[in-house]
């Protein structure tokens, strides 16, 4: 076992909320480097310390509950980010939104004008792929 595994044994570790807090710390710290904003370097310590304390916590059920609340709030935004990432990586398909239910649909590129049927609600509509 490595020394880090020994230290982290029985502790909560990282999750989405911890990553968000560390990102917030970095954003505030980099912003504090601008002139006349040195106070932000002290404010940035709060999310950084909270993230570290959460990672080393042994109260795992409470940390999971905190992360679940965070994911409930940030879940739609995270899903949107994952969809945008998939769209950028997928060069072989076009993505459309169903006009009836809002479901995102994937169709092959380069097929011309095609009729798309939504799997959720069954509505058909025509789009150019």
């Amino acid at each position: 076992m490595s020394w880090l595994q020994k230290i982290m044994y029985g502790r909560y570790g990282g999750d989405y909320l911890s990553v968000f807090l560390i990102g917030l710390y970095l954003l505030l710290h980099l912003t504090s480097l601008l002139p006349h904003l040195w106070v932000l370097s002290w404010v940035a310590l709060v999310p950084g310390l909270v993230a570290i304390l959460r990672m080393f916590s042994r109260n795992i059920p409470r940390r999971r509950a905190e992360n679940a609340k965070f994911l409930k709030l940030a879940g739609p935004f995270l899903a949107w980010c994952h969809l945008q990432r998939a769209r950028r990586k997928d060069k072989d398909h076009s993505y459309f939104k169903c006009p009836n239910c809002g479901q995102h649909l994937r169709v092959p590129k380069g097929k011309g004008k095609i009729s798309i049927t939504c799997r959720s609600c069954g509505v058909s509509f025509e789009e150019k792929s």
Side-chain angles (χ1 to χ4, degrees):
M1 252 184 167
S2 72
W3 63 273
L4 184 59
Q5 286 177 327
K6 289 178 184 176
I7 291 172
M8 294 304 292
Y9 183 77
R11 302 192 186 269
Y12 185 64
D15 59 3
Y16 282 106
L17 179 55
S18 297
V19 170
F20 172 75
L21 290 172
I22 291 171
L24 182 62
Y25 162 76
L26 289 173
L27 179 73
L28 289 173
H29 182 70
L30 291 175
T31 306
S32 72
L33 297 176
L34 295 172
H36 306 293
L37 293 176
W38 59 271
V39 176
L40 283 180
S41 63
W42 291 101
V43 174
L45 289 176
V46 173
L49 289 174
V50 169
I52 291 171
L53 290 174
R54 288 186 82 252
M55 287 183 197
F56 284 98
S57 174
R58 290 186 186 264
N59 191 351
I60 294 173
R62 186 166 180 190
R63 300 293 87 85
R64 282 186 181 158
E66 291 170 354
N67 190 48
K69 286 181 186 176
F70 172 74
L71 287 176
K72 191 173 184 180
L73 290 174
F77 177 72
L78 291 174
W80 181 81
C81 289
H82 288 284
L83 178 66
Q84 296 306 314
R85 183 177 177 203
R87 281 183 171 183
R88 277 193 310 274
K89 285 185 173 185
D90 191 5
K91 304 294 182 195
D92 299 329
H93 296 89
S94 295
Y95 288 81
F96 297 102
K97 194 173 185 179
C98 174
N100 188 34
C101 66
Q103 177 75 24
H104 292 277
L105 306 166
R106 186 179 80 151
V107 297
K109 275 188 178 177
K111 300 291 183 186
K113 195 167 190 176
I114 59 173
S115 178
I116 303 168
T117 303
C118 179
R119 291 185 177 184
S120 297
C121 63
V123 170
S124 291
F125 56 99
E126 287 192 7
E127 289 287 341
K128 182 181 176 189
S129 67

